[in-house]
Amino acid sequence: MTGPSFERIDYQLRYNKHIERKLVFDVLSRAQQLIGIQGHRYLGFGSMWFSDFRLAHRVLGLHEMASMEREKHAARAEFNRPYRSIEVKSGFSTDTLRNFNAKDWSRPLIAWLDYDGCLESYVVKDLEILLSNCASSSVVIVTLNAARGSYRPKVPSTAPRARINTALGQVESLLGGGVVPPRFEPTVTAGGMHGDVNQLDFPEFMAEALLSFMSHKLAASGRQVEIVHGAETQSRPLCFVPLFNFCHKDGVDMVTIGGAITAGEGEDLWRNKVGGDIKRTEDGLFPRHQRLDIAPLTLKEKLTLDACLPHSGEDEFIQQAKNSGLQLQDQELSKYWLYHQYFPVYFETPL
Amino acid sequence: MADRSDKKIHANPTKDFFVKMITRDIDLEDCIFDLLDNAVDGARRNVHTLAGSDKPLMGFEASITFSKDRFEIVDNCGGIRLSDAIDYAFHFGRRPDSPADVEGGIGLYGIGMKRAIFKIGQSAKVTSEATNDACFTVSVDVAAWEAKNDDDWDFEYEDCVSSKAYGTAIEISTLNPGIDTRFGDPTFLNDLIKLIARDYAFFIDKGFVVNVCGNRVPSFQYWLRSNAALEPAFEEYEDDGVKVRIVAGLVDDLPDDIPEELSPEKVDRFGWYVVCNDRVVLAADKTDRTVWGEDGFKVWHPQYNGFAGFVFFHADDQRLLPWTTTKREVDGSSPLYRRALAKMKLITSDFSAYTNRRKGNLEAAREAERGVTQIDVYHVEKPQALKLPTLTQATAKIEYVNIIYKRSLPEIAEIRDHLGNRTMSYKEIGVYTFDYFMKMELGK
């Protein structure tokens, strides 16, 4: 069995992850400006690097933060925490969340559960606990392995697959029957055997299944908040506004999805103001799935690309980059044009 | 002060009863299905033009769209004649002088459309146009209608410009609390598509098209397994003007072992189905609404996973069928239904006895159940009892023991990870690792 991911990876040197983190915090800083989330508490898996915690403090000005860490590694995490206001909570995440008291839940959270593994029943439990307890205006984000191969039970190569033995069936079994969007429904043969979501589309399927699960859990919870309008107080149901839907390759495909828990007019605020720039699916339910896997660039390539910026049009940028002698695919140039503002500057060091 | 001079007890209905009370007796999905039933009946009314085809409903479709703000169903199934709308279609309950409805239809009680509107929202617009008839719109403002005099139950209509789209459109807005939440839940859409696929399978098979928020509802086939040793039971008879067909058999592998827990999607095909005039009323039922635990009969047990039975009731006059106004329940006191239940119990008993018998020779049972072809339940025609493998008792009776031991969660996670099977139960992991040892070390 491989060790924890922090022993294999320096979390600050993965630039697709870096871009993803900046995209997430870009949305959160818009929320900071429009809604004011400086009083929120940050909750995550800081590991030994606390990269997201540093951003939460620097970009959002959050002070109160808690990092969940397995007992075995908690002391080292405690040593590495960059701010004294970060509380390292030792133990299994599900147990830690179960032990939160009413005071812990009374304050809205920015919770980013950045798992380095697969969707498992304890992950589902963690999400259920968060969605059943988080205060209105909280944001819940989750990152998970979304490589189809990690969810395909081994069956003899010639054996046809029943639904439960497909990667789709495994995710469905963990999240519940209604999470499979119609366009991913597999074809069923006359023998009752199932196809599967293809490998390339699997992260998108999984992201949408997770967002559906989170939306459903909140809708079905019956949770309400009291909203004061002048002299009148109204009960409004809490709902989930999906804001994040990314995939990047980090050895394997990883998806990051999430959104805000809100009610009443807050829904419009989060969906159309905070998330106003987010491109949505045709039905408007989810952010459009974004793949962030930019191929590694040399310093020379990056500087040449930067010299072509700023450019208002994608096509013109690609043309100018090609004219500069860059030997990169259009697709890669397009991604750089889209995400260059979030590209990491590695001269930074976490002091 | 009550007037006692006429010696009469007043029993008039109230609007509140229809708006707030009977809407509680029905699920949102079933309200939407009431509207869909009207579209299907409309299509059947016009079907004579395509008689003889194996897809007689081809060309007819209904499209449902909804969001957190509104609901709409639009069909091209012939529309309502204005005279029928004025005198019958909006009447609460079916008037005795109503014209004869389509033969073998699924609309019945004259309550579905109004109940669906009241359940879903506060404001509705029903626009309809029948061939060679007027186009009209009925606007329903529920609060204003309720506030009118108790004797005034009428809705107003307006003429509208013909679009030559012969059908009906129902748009409902100002959604009721809770309904907006359901419509905003993405799993509601996904589940609704699956439910329509399941409950309208026999209409979709005949060419009827249903779209939900731009997604075409797929056709769903009900199959039963068949091989030399295994064939579905089939029985057909007439009873009080109703044609009854019973088909039952195996739909999946039978379990060798009883699983510790089963999620709904793993068992949602097993049990009894009740189908009235092609509309699925009960699906995969495992309760005493069908045979299980009914009048002393055995209750459902996971040992019966893999079994599915279908009872089809068909009548030109849909009032003869044993269903209730929600079309999601059967009338358990109907003699017709009780007579069918007795036959369903006999088949179920044959099957349940086999599940006990096969425990004595699992290997032979598995072999006999292998190599199957699939038979469409709608096209089984040969009357026969349920044919199941004949098993001889294994010569030496094998005794079984339970093995109980503990292993750490990370080790279990590692096995799940290695097998790529994240939903394996602890018991399944125990069985798998034991079988692996038997194969690798003992060659068995």
Side-chain angles (χ1 to χ4, degrees):
Chain A
M1 194 181 188
T2 52
S5 60
F6 65 79
E7 288 178 355
R8 289 174 275 127
I9 303 157
D10 178 342
Y11 275 84
Q12 290 153 109
L13 297 181
R14 299 174 300 165
Y15 55 75
N16 283 317
K17 182 72 187 173
H18 186 104
I19 291 168
E20 177 191 275
R21 223 180 269 130
K22 287 204 168 177
L23 284 166
V24 168
F25 277 88
D26 204 32
V27 173
L28 293 175
S29 46
R30 269 206 299 283
Q32 172 73 299
Q33 290 157 20
L34 292 163
I35 296 169
I37 56 172
Q38 61 274 24
H40 283 42
R41 186 179 187 208
Y42 192 81
L43 176 71
F45 298 127
S47 184
M48 302 303 140
W49 307 98
F50 293 95
S51 309
D52 49 337
F53 285 69
R54 291 171 202 277
L55 284 170
H57 179 64
R58 287 205 312 232
V59 178
L60 307 175
L62 305 191
H63 294 289
E64 201 181 314
M65 299 190 256
S67 177
M68 297 182 281
E69 190 57 61
R70 296 224 178 188
E71 218 174 328
K72 196 174 157 192
H73 308 297
R76 188 174 166 201
E78 183 86 31
F79 175 81
N80 281 301
R81 64 188 176 138
Y83 311 116
R84 66 187 176 89
S85 64
I86 298 176
E87 182 189 358
V88 175
K89 287 187 171 279
S90 168
F92 192 55
S93 58
T94 313
D95 298 333
T96 303
L97 291 169
R98 272 204 188 111
N99 289 328
F100 270 29
N101 57 32
K103 189 168 165 266
D104 289 322
W105 293 120
S106 64
R107 197 158 163 185
L109 290 173
I110 306 287
W112 188 345
L113 304 188
D114 194 347
Y115 300 96
D116 50 22
C118 292
L119 178 67
E120 310 256 5
S121 52
Y122 78 89
V123 173
V124 176
K125 184 54 75 186
D126 289 356
L127 289 175
E128 282 174 343
I129 296 172
L130 281 170
L131 296 166
S132 307
N133 293 285
C134 275
S136 182
S137 192
S138 292
V139 174
V140 178
I141 306 163
V142 58
T143 301
L144 283 164
N145 174 323
R148 191 184 75 155
S150 306
Y151 295 89
R152 296 255 297 177
K154 287 188 174 71
V155 293
S157 58
T158 52
R161 285 178 186 268
R163 191 174 175 103
I164 187 63
N165 286 332
T166 62
L168 175 141
Q170 292 274 304
V171 171
E172 178 184 50
S173 186
L174 287 161
L175 296 177
V179 302
V180 180
R183 72 178 187 284
F184 292 112
E185 271 295 335
T187 48
V188 187
T189 66
M193 294 306 158
H194 285 72
D196 207 343
V197 182
N198 74 49
Q199 202 158 327
L200 213 62
D201 292 336
F202 190 76
E204 185 176 351
F205 153 71
M206 191 155 153
E208 219 165 282
L210 281 160
L211 287 168
S212 297
F213 168 81
M214 293 169 84
S215 303
H216 171 67
K217 280 290 156 190
L218 215 58
S221 71
R223 294 183 66 203
Q224 293 190 322
V225 284
E226 303 284 311
I227 295 178
V228 180
H229 282 285
E232 206 183 323
T233 304
Q234 285 182 328
S235 286
R236 304 302 299 269
L238 283 177
C239 66
F240 183 76
V241 177
L243 294 168
F244 309 109
N245 185 353
F246 307 122
C247 165
H248 74 274
K249 221 174 185 68
D250 203 356
V252 294
D253 282 330
M254 302 291 291
V255 288
T256 293
I257 59 94
I261 294 169
T262 183
E265 287 163 5
E267 185 180 349
D268 176 60
L269 206 55
W270 280 98
R271 186 184 297 276
N272 300 321
K273 305 286 191 310
V274 175
D277 292 342
I278 295 170
K279 287 186 179 137
R280 297 202 159 257
T281 50
E282 213 173 301
D283 55 17
L285 287 174
F286 305 116
R288 219 179 280 167
H289 188 67
Q290 282 179 273
R291 209 165 232 286
L292 306 175
D293 46 351
I294 297 175
L297 299 173
T298 65
L299 182 61
K300 189 173 179 185
E301 284 168 341
K302 185 187 183 309
L303 294 174
T304 309
L305 284 166
D306 285 346
C308 302
L309 290 164
H311 230 301
S312 54
E314 185 180 346
D315 292 342
E316 292 82 355
F317 166 77
I318 291 173
Q319 197 50 54
Q320 195 176 335
K322 281 179 161 175
N323 293 344
S324 308
L326 278 158
Q327 300 298 309
L328 293 169
Q329 302 278 336
D330 284 12
Q331 203 186 350
E332 295 304 326
L333 294 170
S334 170
K335 280 182 189 162
Y336 191 81
W337 185 77
L338 268 174
Y339 302 120
H340 68 273
Q341 285 168 307
Y342 306 99
F343 216 78
V345 182
Y346 284 139
F347 302 111
E348 274 184 29
T349 186
L351 293 175
Chain B
M1 188 77 174
D3 177 8
R4 296 180 181 181
S5 60
D6 58 1
K7 299 279 183 199
K8 280 186 180 169
I9 304 290
H10 303 303
N12 293 348
T14 65
K15 291 176 189 170
D16 186 67
F17 174 73
F18 287 95
V19 174
K20 297 198 180 75
M21 298 314 290
I22 60 163
T23 48
R24 296 181 189 198
D25 297 340
I26 187 166
D27 286 338
L28 174 60
E29 292 86 343
D30 290 325
C31 273
I32 295 173
F33 290 1
D34 266 335
L35 301 175
L36 201 49
D37 287 344
N38 291 341
V40 171
D41 272 353
R44 293 219 260 206
R45 227 171 267 129
N46 290 279
V47 90
H48 56 271
T49 53
L50 289 156
S53 160
D54 65 336
K55 299 276 180 202
L57 300 178
M58 182 91 82
F60 294 106
E61 70 177 82
S63 295
I64 296 166
T65 47
F66 53 79
S67 65
K68 285 189 98 167
D69 308 315
R70 61 188 285 278
F71 169 91
E72 185 179 51
I73 178 168
V74 181
D75 71 59
N76 66 347
C77 302
I80 308 167
R81 298 184 67 80
L82 178 58
S83 56
D84 287 346
I86 291 170
D87 291 328
Y88 308 109
F90 286 84
H91 201 269
F92 287 84
R94 194 174 177 78
R95 280 175 49 168
D97 61 340
S98 295
D101 206 341
V102 58
E103 282 185 1
I106 50 179
L108 175 60
Y109 298 98
I111 190 65
M113 177 173 68
K114 280 83 69 183
R115 180 165 57 184
I117 290 171
F118 296 152
K119 175 94 182 176
I120 294 171
Q122 288 295 306
S123 175
K125 234 171 75 174
V126 182
T127 303
S128 195
E129 182 176 5
T131 320
N132 298 325
D133 203 71
C135 179
F136 63 92
T137 296
V138 179
S139 297
V140 181
D141 177 333
V142 178
W145 178 77
E146 270 200 283
K148 287 201 299 188
N149 187 313
D150 256 0
D151 297 331
D152 185 357
W153 286 61
D154 295 342
F155 300 107
E156 274 83 44
Y157 78 88
E158 283 175 21
D159 298 315
C160 54
V161 181
S162 167
S163 61
K164 303 283 179 203
Y166 301 117
T168 302
I170 300 171
E171 188 188 345
I172 308 173
S173 52
T174 320
L175 303 185
N176 286 326
I179 303 296
D180 51 353
T181 307
R182 300 285 315 274
F183 285 163
D185 178 349
T187 65
F188 180 79
L189 166 69
N190 302 338
D191 283 336
L192 188 71
I193 290 171
K194 280 188 196 158
L195 284 178
I196 294 173
R198 184 193 72 183
D199 292 354
Y200 290 81
F202 301 109
F203 302 112
I204 292 169
D205 193 42
K206 288 175 181 161
F208 192 76
V209 170
V210 185
N211 296 298
V212 183
C213 295
N215 301 283
R216 183 167 173 166
V217 177
S219 107
F220 183 93
Q221 299 289 333
Y222 288 106
W223 305 97
L224 288 173
R225 292 183 168 192
S226 169
N227 68 15
L230 189 75
E231 278 186 58
F234 178 64
E235 193 170 351
E236 190 173 32
Y237 59 94
E238 288 260 343
D239 189 348
D240 263 353
V242 177
K243 193 174 161 190
V244 185
R245 296 173 74 244
I246 303 175
V247 192
L250 263 58
V251 72
D252 205 344
D253 292 340
L254 299 180
D256 294 345
D257 218 345
I258 305 306
E260 288 163 336
E261 52 183 41
L262 282 167
S263 51
E265 64 275 5
K266 285 184 186 165
V267 294
D268 62 5
R269 291 183 302 147
F270 313 143
W272 275 100
Y273 292 71
V274 179
V275 186
C276 291
N277 276 359
D278 285 345
R279 161 79 138 78
V280 175
V281 176
L282 293 180
D285 181 78
K286 300 173 187 67
T287 72
D288 62 1
R289 292 188 295 179
T290 54
V291 301
W292 313 103
E294 204 276 336
D295 196 23
F297 193 77
K298 55 187 76 65
V299 294
W300 172 266
H301 189 275
Q303 180 175 320
Y304 309 144
N305 284 343
F307 170 85
F310 300 80
V311 56
F312 297 88
F313 296 98
H314 197 279
D316 287 346
D317 180 353
Q318 54 264 54
R319 288 173 299 180
L320 300 176
L321 300 174
W323 53 5
T324 66
T325 73
T326 61
K327 295 175 207 158
R328 188 54 77 204
E329 292 285 345
V330 283
D331 176 4
S333 62
S334 150
L336 165 82
Y337 183 62
R338 299 213 63 79
R339 288 190 288 270
L341 271 181
K343 294 175 189 294
M344 290 153 67
K345 283 177 183 172
L346 284 177
I347 297 171
T348 311
S349 291
D350 287 349
F351 167 73
S352 66
Y354 173 70
T355 61
N356 288 327
R357 238 175 19 247
R358 75 190 289 281
K359 285 180 197 166
N361 199 346
L362 272 178
E363 208 160 304
R366 276 196 295 259
E367 189 54 41
E369 291 158 12
R370 207 167 283 154
V372 292
T373 53
Q374 307 282 338
I375 301 179
D376 184 339
V377 297
Y378 215 64
H379 296 118
V380 181
E381 283 168 350
K382 193 175 94 186
Q384 63 181 4
L386 182 60
K387 184 177 175 187
L388 293 161
T390 313
L391 302 172
T392 50
Q393 201 63 228
T395 43
K397 188 170 166 55
I398 300 167
E399 291 204 19
Y400 289 91
V401 294
N402 287 315
I403 303 174
I404 301 169
Y405 56 90
K406 287 187 180 180
R407 283 294 178 270
S408 71
L409 264 177
E411 286 174 315
I412 298 298
E414 207 172 342
I415 292 173
R416 277 187 182 140
D417 203 38
H418 179 76
L419 295 174
N421 191 338
R422 307 199 173 271
T423 58
M424 255 182 143
S425 67
Y426 303 143
K427 181 176 177 178
E428 284 168 336
I429 289 171
V431 170
Y432 184 92
T433 49
F434 184 88
D435 288 349
Y436 183 78
F437 178 89
M438 292 297 287
K439 187 176 165 195
M440 300 309 286
E441 293 296 321
L442 306 176
K444 292 182 177 174

